[in-house]
Amino acid sequence: MSRRSRNRWVGLVYTTPALAFVSVFVLWPLCHVLWLSLTSRSLLGGGEFIGFDNYTRAFADKSFWQALEFTLTYTAYITPILLVLNLALALLTAADTPLRRLTRTVIFLPVVIGLASSSLLWYWLFDQQVGLFNKLLVDLGILTEPMIWFRKAASAQVAVTISVVWKVVGFGMILMVAGIQAISNDIIEASRIDGASSFLRVRRIVIPLAMRSIVMATVISVIGSMLAFDQFYLMTKGGPRGQTFTSVYWVFQNGFARFELGYSSALSVILMVIITSATALQLWLSRKGSKA
Amino acid sequence: MAHVELTDLSKTFGAFQALQDISLHIEKGEFCALLGPSGCGKSTLLRLIAGLEDVTSGEIRINGRDVTDMEPADRKIAMVFQSYALYPHMTVAENIAFSLEAAGMPKAPRLARAAEVAKTLQLDHLLNRRPALLSGGQRQRVAIGRALVRDPEVFLFDEPLSNLDAMLRVQMRMELSSLHHDLAATMIYVTHDQVEAMTMADRIVVMDQGRIRQIGAPMALYAHPADRFVAAFIGSPSMNFLPGTITGTGAQLTLDLGRAAKPFTLTPRGQSAAKGPADLGIRPEHATLTAPDATDATLPARIRLVERLGNQTLVHLETAAGPFTLQGPGDLPAKPGDQTALSFDPSRAHVFGPDGKAI
């Protein structure tokens, strides 16, 4: 056996565990979902091959498009909020002093809590009767009396947004801190000698040089928001009047409440195509931007 | 009035004293090199002058203004970093013009000014390139351009040539010297390379362990080192030190270098001497080989190794007083194993007392 072909085999052996993991937990479920989406399979079993009927049905399903529209709206407003907060917190805590390290840890702590647990925690904090959030707003004089946060779609979205931002902001912050800390200290010092103000330094030096981390944090945030489910399932239950149904919630509803596994698989595939396209577009735009 | 005045400057990092009581006056247009081994505090001193570190105590004045607590940008200084510290996402023109952008100059005039500076540094054909596409020498020139465009009162260089290969370093050394000559600007240059300091500087400040050991013109330091540290640090190959004993004092010192050696007599230059242990310092080019029985033979020696460098020969010898390196002409007749003797020129010999100070 030649050295080159032996090296190939050795390489394959080394990558086998990763390939096996990806095959079992990514490729196989993906293929299975693709197959299910072409059948009328129920959660209880049975069903048959029906071609693209589920996809035809999905394109005519107003509720799915309404849920998708809500999901896109949610993604469109929570992403910039997270981006700005991630960056601001990263800039404030990037320097490696003991106090800043402690602050980073405190901000990152909610990331290790499960999303379901944090959603329940915030659900109680927003409760009209016993919620501390209402009490705080009343004590501060911002509200005259405790409000029911989940009665209207707008206030429910505010509540969910606050809970999600609290939960995930630390993750993006850590990614951006890593990006900022990777910038050579000499470059920052050179910009100080060049007379750059803090604002100019952030705008012209820090953001462009930490762009990879910023794009990564944004992509992760967009994917997470497009896949939003737990927070709405636990805090709003899709209400009021189905106004906060997200796409994944609608997939769940079809698969596990209506037992239509084939149809919910088709919805999942459509969602996957949309998210993959959006991610690819984001990466392409950021690469194009960095080359310009 | 000196252009840059440092008075009783000290800097501590926690319990570590990086600089202690540094007082130094640098004249307008002077090229001053801060020279010393790694960790001696020379870069810290430069960073204090730049304003990149806070002063623990003492005062810094530039052109008569107290700049001790000023921001770096307000000190009218420019700095060239060892790593060049170019902005990797900006073009050469944007790099050079960035300080003008920070000063609020509109885009067209600042790019025109950057192009003007780039032309003087032969960078005009590279204006739209990013640093990653430049060679080491070109990056160095961009870093210098970025300093030039600010029209500073003082240029600070932090080991700017240490990332370049040997040939490019020689070329950049000459370019920096011409730049200094053309601009007649005050330049403070940190280096651990004594060749750079000797070839470029008007004055060298030799530092060790956070203190100034000696200040002087390059040849003055070479010919009259104040102590053993300076004597060893300046000159390549380094000065030879032979342990001995002062047996006679007065107008003429007599030094006994051990059993096999003849007593060596010279005129003292430094502090007054007392009888007792001392080191004789001889530069490699200030000794000659002679026959063991010659009248001028001082110290018998055996040749251990001969290095032929073309224009010169380095001869490594073993003597009863310790190893010795001699530098002679390229065709010096010498071969390993030969028994020979060393002859020293008393007018160029140095003696250092037990405290390391020159006698």
Side-chain angles (χ1 to χ4, degrees):
Chain A
M1 191 186 284
S2 72
R3 181 188 281 191
R4 183 180 287 185
S5 60
R6 201 181 70 185
N7 282 348
R8 271 187 202 152
W9 280 108
V10 170
L12 197 65
V13 169
Y14 278 122
T15 52
T16 300
L19 284 176
F21 190 86
V22 170
S23 302
V24 172
F25 294 105
V26 179
L27 290 179
W28 163 243
L30 184 64
C31 293
H32 195 60
V33 165
L34 283 171
W35 165 247
L36 284 176
S37 72
L38 302 173
T39 69
S40 59
R41 175 75 63 88
S42 158
L43 191 65
L44 303 173
E48 58 186 13
F49 180 77
I50 55 168
F52 290 98
D53 285 1
N54 282 329
Y55 290 95
T56 316
R57 182 183 158 193
F59 284 110
D61 183 350
K62 276 188 181 169
S63 298
F64 174 65
W65 293 108
Q66 194 184 326
L68 186 63
E69 187 188 341
F70 172 72
T71 309
L72 289 172
T73 311
Y74 168 72
T75 304
Y77 70 74
I78 202 167
T79 303
I81 293 173
L82 280 173
L83 195 62
V84 169
L85 284 176
N86 286 339
L87 188 61
L89 291 170
L91 288 168
L92 289 170
T93 63
D96 251 334
T97 61
L99 187 63
R100 288 191 170 106
R101 275 199 294 270
L102 178 71
T103 312
R104 282 206 298 266
T105 309
V106 170
I107 296 170
F108 186 75
L109 268 180
V111 176
V112 301
I113 301 171
L115 186 55
S117 313
S118 85
S119 299
L120 277 176
L121 170 79
W122 279 94
Y123 183 74
W124 285 109
L125 284 172
F126 281 112
D127 186 83
Q128 187 205 6
Q129 309 272 321
V130 295
L132 289 177
F133 205 73
N134 267 329
K135 180 164 172 44
L136 177 75
L137 293 179
V138 171
D139 287 351
L140 290 173
I142 297 169
L143 293 179
T144 50
E145 58 181 34
M147 68 179 277
I148 304 171
W149 285 83
F150 302 104
R151 188 163 59 188
K152 289 183 181 166
S155 57
Q157 283 180 51
V158 170
V160 169
T161 303
I162 290 172
S163 80
V164 171
V165 167
W166 176 81
K167 166 77 181 77
V168 303
V169 75
F171 187 72
M173 176 199 71
I174 289 292
L175 280 179
M176 290 191 193
V177 163
I180 292 169
Q181 286 184 341
I183 299 171
S184 156
N185 201 35
D186 279 357
I187 288 179
I188 299 297
E189 289 181 342
S191 71
R192 284 180 64 196
I193 287 179
D194 276 342
S197 63
S198 301
F199 177 72
L200 184 68
R201 189 153 55 241
V202 168
R203 188 171 67 81
R204 293 280 280 131
I205 310 286
V206 176
I207 291 179
L209 292 181
M211 193 47 91
R212 277 166 187 265
S213 303
I214 294 170
V215 169
M216 181 57 71
T218 311
V219 167
I220 290 171
S221 165
V222 167
I223 294 173
S225 308
M226 293 287 285
L227 294 175
F229 169 66
D230 313 40
Q231 57 270 47
F232 289 99
Y233 180 70
L234 288 164
M235 293 178 80
T236 70
K237 298 187 175 48
R241 294 177 300 284
Q243 288 179 80
T244 60
F245 259 125
T246 62
S247 304
V248 175
Y249 203 157
W250 190 238
V251 171
F252 170 83
Q253 202 67 4
N254 277 283
F256 296 95
R258 297 179 182 175
F259 298 166
E260 292 186 69
L261 205 54
Y263 181 54
S264 68
S265 297
L267 295 177
S268 299
V269 172
I270 294 170
L271 197 57
M272 185 186 73
V273 169
I274 293 170
I275 293 173
T276 309
S277 309
T279 306
L281 181 70
Q282 265 181 292
L283 293 175
W284 180 73
L285 285 174
S286 68
R287 274 189 202 142
K288 201 177 160 198
S290 67
K291 276 181 190 164
Chain B
M1 182 176 64
H3 198 212
V4 179
E5 290 173 78
L6 313 179
T7 312
D8 298 329
L9 217 52
S10 292
K11 174 69 184 172
T12 54
F13 294 100
F16 175 68
Q17 180 96 39
L19 291 171
Q20 209 172 338
D21 301 328
I22 300 286
S23 290
L24 175 66
H25 290 188
I26 298 165
E27 297 303 324
K28 193 172 176 66
E30 187 177 352
F31 193 125
C32 178
L34 305 179
L35 176 68
S38 295
C40 72
K42 56 192 186 298
S43 285
T44 304
L45 181 57
L46 195 78
R47 290 170 62 79
L48 291 183
I49 299 170
L52 296 173
E53 299 282 354
D54 292 332
V55 169
T56 304
S57 65
E59 188 186 67
I60 302 170
R61 299 183 86 86
I62 294 177
N63 207 11
R65 289 183 309 147
D66 183 354
V67 300
T68 316
D69 298 316
M70 273 188 193
E71 280 296 306
D74 301 328
R75 298 186 178 207
K76 295 192 178 173
I77 50 111
M79 184 159 165
V80 176
F81 291 79
Q82 183 177 356
S83 65
Y84 318 129
L86 300 180
Y87 309 122
H89 56 297
M90 294 186 194
T91 62
V92 167
E94 288 169 333
N95 262 283
I96 294 176
F98 185 70
S99 61
L100 305 177
E101 182 183 346
M105 188 186 278
K107 192 171 182 180
R110 75 172 181 250
L111 289 180
R113 172 80 183 119
E116 202 179 295
V117 168
K119 198 171 179 187
T120 63
L121 295 165
Q122 287 112 45
L123 289 168
D124 39 342
H125 60 297
L126 302 171
L127 279 170
N128 293 318
R129 284 210 196 156
R130 290 195 179 174
L133 299 173
L134 303 177
S135 68
Q138 288 167 339
R139 286 181 206 183
Q140 183 60 263
R141 270 199 275 269
V142 176
I144 292 169
R146 201 169 61 179
L148 279 177
V149 81
R150 304 192 64 216
D151 200 14
E153 286 185 351
V154 181
F155 285 85
L156 307 175
F157 294 90
D158 190 4
E159 308 211 29
L161 308 186
S162 51
N163 287 349
L164 302 177
D165 62 49
M167 272 182 69
L168 202 53
R169 207 177 302 164
V170 173
Q171 187 192 330
M172 287 306 296
R173 223 161 60 197
M174 290 192 293
E175 286 188 22
L176 279 177
S177 292
S178 329
L179 189 72
H180 175 242
H181 181 263
D182 296 344
L183 296 174
T186 308
M187 293 184 173
I188 305 176
Y189 187 100
V190 162
T191 181
H192 65 269
D193 182 344
Q194 49 109 7
V195 177
E196 280 177 24
M198 293 287 286
T199 50
M200 292 194 285
D202 297 318
R203 227 162 32 121
I204 299 175
V205 178
V206 183
M207 294 182 66
D208 182 40
Q209 296 181 350
R211 289 173 181 273
I212 292 176
R213 297 297 284 255
Q214 191 175 357
I215 303 172
M219 285 315 291
L221 291 186
Y222 189 78
H224 305 293
D227 58 31
R228 198 184 145 129
F229 174 84
V230 177
F233 203 81
I234 304 266
S236 177
S238 186
M239 183 183 276
N240 297 287
F241 295 99
L242 302 171
T245 310
I246 296 173
T247 53
T249 58
Q252 292 283 298
L253 280 183
T254 307
L255 207 68
D256 182 3
L257 295 172
R259 278 184 294 123
K262 287 181 189 167
F264 185 67
T265 306
L266 74 165
T267 310
R269 296 199 202 96
Q271 63 181 18
S272 59
K275 286 181 182 175
D279 288 336
L280 177 67
I282 305 285
R283 293 217 178 268
E285 68 275 27
H286 294 156
T288 49
L289 294 180
T290 188
D293 54 356
T295 51
D296 60 344
T298 303
L299 186 63
R302 193 179 72 85
I303 298 174
R304 193 167 54 83
L305 184 70
V306 178
E307 290 179 293
R308 303 279 180 194
L309 305 178
N311 64 335
Q312 56 176 258
T313 303
L314 295 180
V315 184
H316 301 274
L317 305 112
E318 284 168 1
T319 74
F324 193 97
T325 302
L326 176 142
Q327 183 183 322
D331 57 356
L332 181 75
K335 63 176 191 294
D338 280 0
Q339 286 295 334
T340 182
L342 289 163
S343 170
F344 307 136
D345 176 358
S347 67
R348 291 174 143 178
H350 307 264
V351 181
F352 302 99
D355 59 355
K357 301 269 186 227
I359 292 173

